[in-house]
Amino acid sequence: MPTSTQPPTKSQSGDRSTPGPAAPATMKAIAVIPGQANTMHVRDVPRPAVSDVPDGRGVLVRVLRVGVDGTDKEINAAEYGAAPPGYDYLITGHESFGRVVETGPNVTELRVGDYVVATVRRPGSSIYDRIGTYDMTTDDMYYERGINLRHGFLSEYYVDDPEYIVKIPPGLRDVAVLLEPLTVVEKGIAQAYEIQRRLRVWRPRKAAVMGAGTIGLLAALVLRLRGLEVTVFGRTAAPYLNSELIQELGARYESTVTTPIGEGCRRYGPFDLIFEATGASSVVFESMRALARNGVLVLSSVTGGDRMIEVPADRINLEFVLGNKVMVGTVNANREYFEAGVKDMTHAESQHPGWLGRLLTHPVRGLENWRQLLDTLTNAQGAIKVYCEVAEDA
Amino acid sequence: MPTSTQPPTKSQSGDRSTPGPAAPATMKAIAVIPGQANTMHVRDVPRPAVSDVPDGRGVLVRVLRVGVDGTDKEINAAEYGAAPPGYDYLITGHESFGRVVETGPNVTELRVGDYVVATVRRPGSSIYDRIGTYDMTTDDMYYERGINLRHGFLSEYYVDDPEYIVKIPPGLRDVAVLLEPLTVVEKGIAQAYEIQRRLRVWRPRKAAVMGAGTIGLLAALVLRLRGLEVTVFGRTAAPYLNSELIQELGARYESTVTTPIGEGCRRYGPFDLIFEATGASSVVFESMRALARNGVLVLSSVTGGDRMIEVPADRINLEFVLGNKVMVGTVNANREYFEAGVKDMTHAESQHPGWLGRLLTHPVRGLENWRQLLDTLTNAQGAIKVYCEVAEDA
């Protein structure tokens, strides 16, 4: 008689577990109430299942680590972010790393036990979405796990289609939580090289990276792996951890406290490629003037303010025209940039063993310690990557 | 005895002309003294010969028409321009049209009687020069016929290598003097499309052209030939000749007197491609904000001043980043853009017969009338293309 309370599908599924408490249907997650500032909290939410994805294509992933960044702070400040339809909360976290625990019957790409990272944006309806380049969507509405209209990864499990889940070699398991931020760099640099195919014989030699935070460090890494001479401009006076990491790559660090960008560019530039990652729009306009002829400036900073600045408009335009220069903005990433990131991480571990791991400065253990996670993200001195250790890799 | 004064090569060359004065060894040309303002004058200069080009590769061209533009004014004002080595004067004129009168023994590409237009820039030493893309040179020094270190075409004849001379179909002989300005447009739009290959499936629909002068009109033409919906922004209140020409292409003309660019963009944009040809750097920064997602802004204006303007730096950067937008500067052109221009002119004469000819508003007959040429260029109301009729097409 007690078994009659079980839903019929349960017994039909051939559950071979011994009698006892049913598997919990919920899990813990860190969430916010979009539209209300400072509402971060931990809550019990329904645990996803492979059957949530149609056509037997579900992949259930146990979350191991999730990185946090300025986006998470801004979502908690209710500057943007939206809950999925039917929910009044949004599970945050978009920099994931986990391990496959179950796959639907029609999943051939991944197996139980595989290490994985999920992409963030999900396709809309534009022509760019339809060919897998959802990072180039022209839709007004966009879908991003942990950011806008789709739950994120700061939870015990997530489920998704293998189209959005990228396999990680076991050799990268200790650093793979850095893959999502790395994809910002991978996309920006790939766009620059794609654009420069217009030159037929582009041979970039000197690069500058504006900003020495996580993105700036990863940009310096990738540009060094491409063989470029790299100068990184940061605000903090050297030496400190970030400047040391930059020098270990064989790159140059210049503090703008002692060397203004213009002077640094005269000394070490002009630059064939500049990757802007400061979050300060004034640096964008300074960078325009530091480009070499035929050079390309990649903009990756989200500058949410309303800052007005005075710029030498005639000179900027003239230099762009006479020098055939290019500026390109870049946001988000699609699967191909995650795959490129895996290759560069592998290359990095071979070329600069241990370097990536040194970026993982501030782990916080457990979803229940969300206050500490947020506090570390907001206040920690010298933090490069703050991340939540959601679970041990058993 | 009189024949003994003839140089021996003269009789050896098999001259079958009746006895009389020898062919003049000089010709007329319009020149300036670089570095000194307002020195334009007509002078006798050595007439070039096919043997001036090595390896039997000389092509001697009789000049029929030469267009003038702001560059010629600025060279006469000594703002820039340099004489070729060994000369204290520079023959001006870079928008040429002529007819082949003699070819060296190793010229197979062109024949006597062919209509031709010469390219302007000549290669330096960079890798881009070495593959024929001298418009992308990274050298500090550049060579441009009629502008810098090489004589131009405002003369009775010129000689050059067939590498720099483009054949014109007889059907275009009445409008081919417009080919050189058209190549600015051809290069800019080709660079935009090359850059947008990064999108794999770019399908531009709406374009804007900033400026309704010669370059703006030609940009509107080429973009209409590509099938885009085109809005041209100009300063002058419609109707006038330029606005009528634009409407005849099936494009839209908006005067910024009645419709500020921002408002025009809200009404007719955002634009997938913007071609900037106003010469006003403030328009460059307004144009940045009128781009659609994934859009491309082509800068072609030479802005020689030192104007400072205040810009919404945070917003411009944010929109470039979130919208994956591109800005590219473009200068000059190489042979492939002249060849593309010939095709588009042919297309234009088929699609909009007579339209190109209506741009040839102000002919001035004869090199000796250089004062009238300069005066027309400087003062003529409603001028689109001012050009010198150097010789009749006999």
Side-chain angles (χ1 to χ4, degrees), chain A residues 135-136 138 140 187 191 197-198 200 281 293-294 301 303 307 309 311 313-314 317 324-325 327 329, chain B residues 135-136 138 140 187 191 197-198 281 293-294 301 303 307 309 311 313-314 317 324-325 327 329:
Chain A
D135 55 314
M136 308 303 275
T138 49
D140 290 327
K187 178 183 170 185
Q191 287 285 308
R197 287 168 62 185
R198 72 194 178 107
R200 296 193 177 96
S281 59
R293 294 187 183 104
N294 299 349
S301 297
T303 48
R307 190 166 170 204
I309 62 172
V311 301
D314 280 349
N317 177 67
N324 293 293
K325 300 176 188 183
M327 177 173 92
Chain B
D135 56 313
M136 308 304 274
T138 49
D140 290 328
K187 178 182 169 185
Q191 286 287 307
R197 289 168 60 186
R198 73 194 177 107
S281 60
R293 293 186 184 105
N294 299 350
S301 298
T303 48
R307 191 169 172 202
I309 62 173
V311 301
D314 280 348
N317 178 68
N324 293 293
K325 300 177 189 183
M327 177 171 92

Side-chain angles (χ1 to χ4, degrees), chain B residues 120-251:
Chain B
V120 178
R121 196 175 278 187
R122 295 293 171 269
S125 63
S126 82
I127 191 170
Y128 304 103
D129 297 276
R130 293 202 295 272
I131 62 163
T133 59
Y134 36 81
D135 56 313
M136 308 304 274
T137 189
T138 49
D139 293 352
D140 290 328
M141 181 101 85
Y142 60 89
Y143 307 92
E144 288 177 347
R145 291 199 70 156
I147 302 173
N148 211 50
L149 299 170
R150 293 289 180 266
H151 284 312
F153 306 112
L154 271 168
S155 56
E156 293 178 76
Y157 296 89
Y158 71 85
V159 75
D160 216 327
D161 189 289
E163 172 68 23
Y164 309 114
I165 299 179
V166 177
K167 187 171 163 179
I168 303 296
L172 294 180
R173 84 189 134 197
D174 293 337
V175 294
V177 72
L178 290 167
L179 180 56
E180 196 282 334
L182 178 60
T183 62
V184 174
V185 169
E186 294 289 344
K187 178 182 169 185
I189 294 173
Q191 286 287 307
Y193 276 77
E194 275 290 297
I195 284 170
Q196 297 292 67
R197 289 168 60 186
R198 73 194 177 107
L199 298 173
R200 297 192 177 95
V201 290
W202 195 43
R203 298 281 182 276
R205 204 165 67 79
K206 293 185 180 189
V209 176
M210 304 303 180
T214 307
I215 299 293
L217 285 162
L218 292 170
L221 171 67
V222 172
L223 291 165
R224 283 297 297 143
L225 293 178
R226 300 278 183 286
L228 279 79
E229 177 189 326
V230 176
T231 305
V232 181
F233 292 87
R235 269 179 309 193
T236 308
Y240 71 124
L241 175 57
N242 304 41
S243 71
E244 284 164 9
L245 284 163
I246 287 160
Q247 283 157 5
E248 282 173 29
L249 295 172

